[in-house]
Amino acid sequence: MSALSIREAQSGDLEAIIRLHEEDELGSHGDVWSAETRPAYEAAFMAIQKSPDNRLFVALDGDEVVGTFQLTFIPNLTGRGATRVKVESVKVKATRRSVGIGAQMIAFAEDHARTHGAAAMELTSNKTRKDAHRFYERLGFSRSHEGFKKKLI
């Protein structure tokens, strides 16, 4: 692996990002890059780019997208008005896992969040992802809340 670089995602990265999500068997959301799904992904990408509270990043090994994650800054009235950052959609290319890419991405996310005024970072992880849970705990995250979701569509 050459030196890993992390930068904000560009429109040319979109297919590679969705391909990372396609690989996800445990937390599958049915993501597939195709002519039919492309417009929805492009619209979501544009919404993320336009939002001052969202950042989408890619991790690159040379020119290859090997990871991705999204940060959402959430102003909050609790914690004396502290801003939280939610980490979402953390993915590392399946063939590149367990070599430190995820840890570098989370370290970058933490530094970015802190630099931009966040007091805390949070994430959720599918209950079936036991390896991911151990990974996040190794990085200093604690299991502090029970999460709930409700589909609206």
Side-chain angles (χ1 to χ4, degrees):
M1 180 169 87
S2 62
L4 188 73
S5 62
I6 299 173
R7 63 161 168 77
E8 283 201 56
Q10 301 167 356
S11 58
D13 301 320
L14 187 55
E15 180 178 356
I17 293 168
I18 301 307
R19 297 283 184 202
L20 292 173
H21 290 284
E22 281 182 6
E23 293 181 338
D24 188 358
E25 295 176 11
L26 289 178
S28 177
H29 296 277
D31 290 302
V32 175
W33 181 263
S34 70
E36 293 80 29
T37 61
R38 182 177 177 167
Y41 291 123
E42 289 173 338
F45 181 81
M46 291 304 296
I48 292 165
Q49 277 198 318
K50 287 180 182 178
S51 169
D53 297 322
N54 282 279
R55 300 284 182 276
L56 180 64
F57 292 93
V58 290
L60 301 158
D61 183 4
D63 292 332
E64 180 186 14
V65 173
V66 295
T68 187
F69 61 95
Q70 181 176 340
L71 301 180
T72 301
F73 288 78
I74 307 166
N76 202 318
L77 292 176
T78 62
R80 298 182 182 176
T83 297
R84 293 176 292 138
V85 167
K86 185 162 187 185
V87 183
E88 285 280 341
S89 304
V90 178
K91 301 290 180 209
V92 173
K93 191 169 188 170
T95 58
R96 305 297 296 275
R97 292 186 188 137
S98 299
V99 297
I101 293 170
Q104 288 182 61
M105 291 186 340
I106 296 299
F108 179 97
E110 186 174 332
D111 183 61
H112 187 85
R114 188 178 287 113
T115 300
H116 289 82
M121 208 161 78
E122 63 184 36
L123 57 84
T124 58
S125 180
N126 188 299
K127 287 185 178 191
T128 62
R129 297 182 182 281
K130 304 301 182 197
D131 290 341
H133 301 166
R134 285 189 293 276
F135 167 74
Y136 291 126
E137 287 172 335
R138 265 195 327 271
L139 297 179
F141 288 86
S142 62
R143 298 178 193 221
S144 63
H145 291 72
E146 185 75 22
F148 298 89
K149 290 185 181 183
K150 181 177 183 179
K151 292 199 178 217
L152 302 177
I153 301 176

